[in-house]
Amino acid sequence: MTDERERPEADDEQLVQVAQRDPSAFAPLYRRYVGPIYAFAYQRLGTRELAEDATSQVFVQALAALPGYRAGTFRAWLYAIARNVVTDLHRARPVDSLDERMATADPTPDEVFFALDREIDLRALLARLTPEQRDVVELRLAGLNGPEIAHALDRSPGAVRALQFRAYQQLRTMLDPKQVTK
Amino acid sequence: MTEHDTALRFDQALDGAAPHDLNGAESLIQTARTVQILFDRQYEIPSEAFVMQLEQQLFSPVVVPSGIEGPPAPAPHRTDLPRPARIAPDLHRISHSRLVAIAAVLVLLLGGMGAIIGGPLDPRSDPEPSAIPAASFGTAEASPEAVGEIWTVEPMPSTDGSDRPPVISNGVAFRTFFGSSSLVQAVDMQTGEVQWEGPVRVAIDVMAGAGDLLLVAGSNGARYELVAIDGRSGVERWSKDLGQGPAGLLVDGNRISVLGRDNVLEAFDLETQERLWQVGLSRFVDSGSEHGINMFSGFTGDRVAMVQGVVAVLLSNGRLVALDAASGELQWSDARRTSGWTRLAVVDGKFIVTAFGSRRLSWQPDVTPAPITSG
């Protein structure tokens, strides 16, 4: 298998154009993005089973929607589909899951510090952000740039910047107990 | 330096265009690095077996997944289907929903988006007596002269152009898009002129026409809403909160039926928006698969239909339940559960379920009243 962290390449659009005429030509794009999309799904859903389900659905939907794709940013388009799929699956899970427990918990700085010392669980951190903030951070971690995130979330660049700024402020507070006591 | 400026500089830094003066964003950048390190450390890689299996299923010329739950295997004729050359031996590890999804895309790839016929899935060889004849799925050909293009409308420039099936009401086609689910483009069907286009307040999960109104339902970011929009002007007329994410929407006269992803059906009065009745249908969904309605934008949405005062709901497990539209009283349910991507339609006054990715392409529910016990 190729390097899972391989960065998107500039020929995405060319590959898409070919794949619009011949779906089998989508395979290189699949290989390029299956790892990152899986990681993105896992980040939100937290289990291998759900992440695999989500990854399958993303590529099924992408293949089906490909004829209607217009030139733009393929990566943002694919992650927009991924975000919708993951959001749907996330909503459909049983509510007694890690995210909800972590989101409703109110950790003290000591607990956060303890978690940091013990290798903090990023999913637990992100679960405490608002859904909009979490979307932005997860797409940023997936490697999308600001305009791509705005495209994927159907929001203005300014709105994404504001969400991103507040999200990282929140994360800074969570990661550094001293910030809380200032 | 305002918060806006700091947010801008922070964003530029993350995009790799670091300004000279970060001015307040330094500690946030350190936070971003820490979070990225955590992400990299905890980066989950899919198993090679999964990646290979999915690739085979997506791109092999013909693959018929085995082991799909659903109606009894009806088809001796399927034994001669071509088998994948390198099908993985542990296919059973792939979940049911994934197999269904994979099969569905194969149907799309084999038959094209519009014509789901032909090849190994040809319904003409299906022994089920209720199968719809293949001709019903549009095999007829027409000459280019006979068809003729009347007009075309480009997608909204701010979208990627991948549009979903439009809703047509009172001569206006309402078009929405996969990647920009809050955008609507209203097109006059006679002239092809765009009447209005722009964002609505919700990310649209389902929509329906109601005379001059366009009804859309989905999340506004904080909660779920049903929003009524003037179809000719795009002006919002009213909105109503919904308890759950919407999975189906039907308008019949002055009554709106909304199916929630929690398998609850509600009816509202179109004029007053008062709730007329509400019925929970979760007991018709197997406890093991009670994940609510699985929404595949562009593939589902037709989950509620009406025939002669009876409203039928296609639940997440493919089971059909019928209620009296006026009172919400349960009428009958069909015992069959259909796996695959199911859609509900009305043909010649009968409910028809189509299921992509299952062993059936379509079936007509048994509308013989089945006793429904209360509770």
Side-chain angles (χ1 to χ4, degrees):
Chain A
M1 199 188 318
T2 56
D3 179 7
E4 299 292 344
R5 309 302 307 277
E6 189 178 357
R7 300 296 300 172
E9 295 175 16
D11 62 350
D12 276 1
E13 298 304 319
Q14 292 170 349
L15 289 170
V16 169
Q17 284 177 19
V18 178
Q20 284 180 313
R21 297 188 296 272
D22 173 12
S24 66
F26 191 74
L29 287 165
Y30 164 79
R31 291 182 204 119
R32 183 172 297 169
Y33 284 104
V34 64
I37 290 290
Y38 175 88
F40 175 77
Y42 188 92
Q43 183 62 43
R44 176 68 65 97
L45 298 168
T47 72
R48 180 177 165 180
E49 177 73 10
L50 283 173
E52 290 182 352
D53 275 353
T55 304
S56 303
Q57 291 186 23
V58 168
F59 285 100
V60 164
Q61 290 196 23
L63 269 168
L66 202 60
Y69 173 81
R70 300 286 187 275
T73 311
F74 172 75
R75 188 163 56 149
W77 178 81
L78 187 65
Y79 273 94
I81 294 173
R83 185 246 178 187
N84 287 338
V85 167
V86 166
T87 300
D88 281 344
L89 285 174
H90 190 254
R91 283 183 191 139
R93 295 168 318 155
V95 290
D96 183 26
S97 61
L98 172 69
D99 277 5
E100 278 66 23
R101 291 203 304 276
M102 297 308 294
T104 52
D106 187 15
T108 65
D110 284 347
E111 286 172 341
V112 175
F113 192 78
F114 180 77
L116 251 186
D117 196 38
R118 294 294 186 109
E119 180 72 26
I120 196 167
D121 181 354
L122 181 59
R123 288 190 62 244
L125 271 188
L126 298 182
R128 295 191 191 111
L129 300 175
T130 67
E132 292 79 12
Q133 290 173 350
R134 187 174 183 178
D135 280 339
V136 172
V137 174
E138 286 177 344
L139 289 171
R140 177 63 80 177
L141 291 171
L144 273 65
N145 61 32
E148 286 175 326
I149 295 170
H151 186 89
L153 296 179
D154 191 22
R155 284 178 174 270
S156 70
V160 167
R161 274 198 297 273
L163 283 167
Q164 176 177 261
F165 183 66
R166 289 182 203 124
Y168 279 97
Q169 279 183 319
Q170 188 86 357
L171 288 166
R172 180 176 59 187
T173 303
M174 287 189 247
L175 285 166
D176 182 3
K178 294 192 292 294
Q179 294 287 335
V180 177
T181 55
K182 268 184 180 177
Chain B
M1 180 69 62
T2 64
E3 179 177 300
H4 177 268
D5 292 329
T6 309
L8 179 61
R9 285 165 190 262
F10 176 55
D11 187 62
Q12 289 171 336
L14 292 181
D15 279 348
H20 292 299
D21 178 15
L22 292 169
N23 209 347
E26 294 87 349
S27 65
L28 276 189
I29 291 168
Q30 182 55 48
T31 299
R33 286 198 189 108
T34 303
V35 171
Q36 189 70 51
I37 289 168
L38 284 173
F39 179 74
D40 290 344
R41 276 190 199 170
Q42 296 167 21
Y43 190 88
E44 280 292 324
I45 297 173
S47 72
E48 198 155 343
F50 164 73
V51 172
M52 288 179 63
Q53 285 170 5
L54 181 57
E55 180 169 352
Q56 285 173 3
Q57 299 291 346
L58 289 170
F59 302 110
S60 293
V62 176
V63 178
V64 181
S66 60
I68 295 179
E69 294 173 11
H77 67 279
R78 298 184 73 86
T79 56
D80 58 356
L81 290 177
R83 289 284 171 184
R86 294 178 295 128
I87 194 77
D90 57 347
L91 189 61
H92 66 276
R93 292 184 55 202
I94 300 182
S95 75
H96 168 245
S97 63
R98 195 175 316 133
L99 282 173
V100 166
I102 291 164
V105 81
L106 285 165
V107 170
L108 294 174
L109 293 177
L110 287 169
M113 289 290 289
I116 308 163
I117 60 163
L121 297 175
D122 189 342
R124 284 170 291 195
S125 55
D126 193 327
E128 289 290 321
S130 59
I132 292 180
S136 300
F137 289 87
T139 54
E141 292 183 5
S143 66
E145 299 79 27
V147 175
E149 186 174 273
I150 300 173
W151 46 258
T152 60
V153 176
E154 289 297 315
M156 296 168 68
S158 56
T159 71
D160 55 34
S162 52
D163 48 353
R164 299 192 280 194
V167 162
I168 299 173
S169 183
N170 266 13
V172 180
F174 300 100
R175 188 183 199 189
T176 55
F177 303 87
F178 274 103
S180 310
S181 53
S182 63
L183 294 180
V184 177
Q185 186 179 49
V187 179
D188 185 296
M189 290 293 285
Q190 286 293 326
T191 64
E193 289 177 6
V194 175
Q195 301 281 299
W196 56 270
E197 59 184 15
V200 296
R201 281 199 300 110
V202 295
I204 300 170
D205 285 332
V206 293
M207 63 178 183
D212 286 334
L213 289 178
L214 170 67
L215 300 180
V216 296
S219 169
N220 64 11
R223 60 189 189 280
Y224 296 104
E225 277 191 293
L226 174 65
V227 180
I229 297 162
D230 186 300
R232 287 285 169 187
S233 67
V235 174
E236 182 176 322
R237 295 299 184 201
W238 52 260
S239 66
K240 182 165 187 61
D241 280 356
L242 299 173
Q244 259 286 339
L249 181 62
L250 176 76
V251 179
D252 175 61
N254 204 33
R255 186 168 40 234
I256 307 168
S257 300
V258 181
L259 176 66
R261 289 184 202 175
D262 53 356
N263 290 307
V264 172
L265 184 69
E266 295 178 278
F268 299 99
D269 185 284
L270 179 63
E271 294 296 327
T272 65
Q273 294 91 55
E274 282 179 306
R275 181 192 285 158
L276 301 173
W277 48 261
Q278 180 186 41
V279 177
L281 302 170
S282 288
R283 63 189 168 110
F284 295 102
V285 181
D286 302 331
S287 58
S289 62
E290 192 149 8
H291 293 296
I293 305 289
N294 186 18
M295 291 292 295
F296 265 12
S297 302
F299 291 100
T300 61
D302 302 329
R303 309 199 76 88
V304 189
M306 173 92 71
V307 171
Q308 294 178 351
V310 173
V311 59
V313 177
L314 187 59
L315 297 173
S316 52
N317 59 349
R319 188 169 180 175
L320 201 64
V321 178
L323 307 91
D324 182 276
S327 66
E329 187 179 341
L330 289 165
Q331 300 290 301
W332 50 263
S333 72
D334 189 83
R336 275 175 289 196
R337 297 173 175 81
T338 303
S339 56
W341 285 347
T342 47
R343 305 184 72 159
L344 179 61
V346 172
V347 179
D348 293 337
K350 295 174 182 173
F351 295 114
I352 299 288
V353 176
T354 57
F356 305 159
S358 73
R359 292 173 187 270
R360 299 166 189 244
L361 189 58
S362 70
W363 52 277
Q364 182 187 332
D366 178 5
V367 296
T368 307
I372 294 178
T373 55
S374 59

